[in-house]
Amino acid sequence: MIELYHVWKQYQKPLWALSDVNLSVTRGEFCFITGPSGSGKSTLLKAIYREVIPTEGQIIISGINIQRIPDHKICAIRRQMGIVFQDFRLLFHKRVFDNVSIALRVLGAPPRDMKRKTFIALRMVNLQQRLWDYPSQLSYGEQQRVAIARAIVNNPRILLADEPTGNLDPDLAHEIFGLFRVINKQGTTVIICTHDKELIRRFGGRVLYLHEGKLHEKDVG
């Protein structure tokens, strides 16, 4: 489903953010990417959804080489993906419903379909009762759950999460990781960047370790 071949990324010479990264993630896998700050974790995720273009190498998503398609067609690839950010990236002047349904609105979903899918996504994260609240009325944990609902509302094949619990306390972090596991069990491929070794040990899965841009398989002990 996701294949990277000899991917390099350089922002500024002489340092490489990614250094000859090779990776294959199959459909339905649950993967962690870990490593110290500045090791290239966020760059790797951004390369997968093509916010960042590698300096060298190829990235294949569902059989499509995303390096070779024009910019105006990248939206079709991103429709397969849900993305969760550490800083939530919610629209604070919009209600929870509008934040979650925005992707469906952009795609031109019929209003009835949009309402149904938005409610299902919010119910999955146990926030259906906050449908008409604003993000400022929610706790940090609830805001992150809204961000997760937004990421899964279109039933993505792939869910990418970049330090999704970095701003949360341990109990909330455990709850959020539990949600990712539930989403994964429904067939979604999940890749999470995190530095939290305790949560990795608790939830298990494939562990990929980045250090100075180089990727390795690793047991976290």
Side-chain angles (χ1 to χ4, degrees), residues 85-162:
F85 304 95
Q86 180 179 355
D87 57 2
F88 311 153
R89 299 195 187 183
L90 300 179
L91 302 173
F92 275 74
H93 64 289
K94 297 286 189 179
R95 298 181 189 271
V96 166
F97 175 87
D98 298 311
N99 270 277
V100 175
S101 64
I102 188 167
L104 299 172
R105 194 181 303 276
V106 169
L107 292 173
R112 180 176 295 181
D113 193 39
M114 183 170 62
K115 290 177 182 178
R116 179 181 61 84
K117 287 186 174 182
T118 300
F119 184 81
I120 289 171
L122 283 167
R123 185 174 60 191
M124 188 167 183
V125 300
N126 196 28
L127 280 179
Q128 68 274 17
Q129 71 281 7
R130 308 303 296 270
L131 198 66
W132 302 114
D133 288 342
Y134 288 94
S136 60
Q137 296 174 273
L138 307 179
S139 68
Y140 279 140
E142 288 170 333
Q143 288 177 27
Q144 187 61 302
R145 282 191 279 156
V146 171
I148 293 170
R150 179 185 58 197
I152 64 174
V153 71
N154 201 34
N155 299 315
R157 296 180 181 180
I158 300 165
L159 180 63
L160 307 174
D162 189 5

Side-chain angles (χ1 to χ4, degrees), residues 19 21 32 60 81 94 98 125 151 183 194 214 216:
S19 179
V21 170
F32 291 106
I60 314 296
M81 303 180 190
K94 297 286 189 179
D98 298 311
V125 300
I183 293 164
T194 182
K214 296 182 181 295
H216 311 274

Side-chain angles (χ1 to χ4, degrees), residues 1-5 23-27 29 44 48 59-63 81 157-160 189-191 206:
M1 168 163 275
I2 301 173
E3 299 169 285
L4 281 71
Y5 297 102
L23 174 63
S24 179
V25 178
T26 59
R27 186 181 302 275
E29 273 201 84
L44 180 55
I48 291 172
I59 299 176
I60 314 296
I61 306 292
S62 299
M81 303 180 190
R157 296 180 181 180
I158 300 165
L159 180 63
L160 307 174
T189 303
V190 177
I191 302 177
R206 183 180 177 192

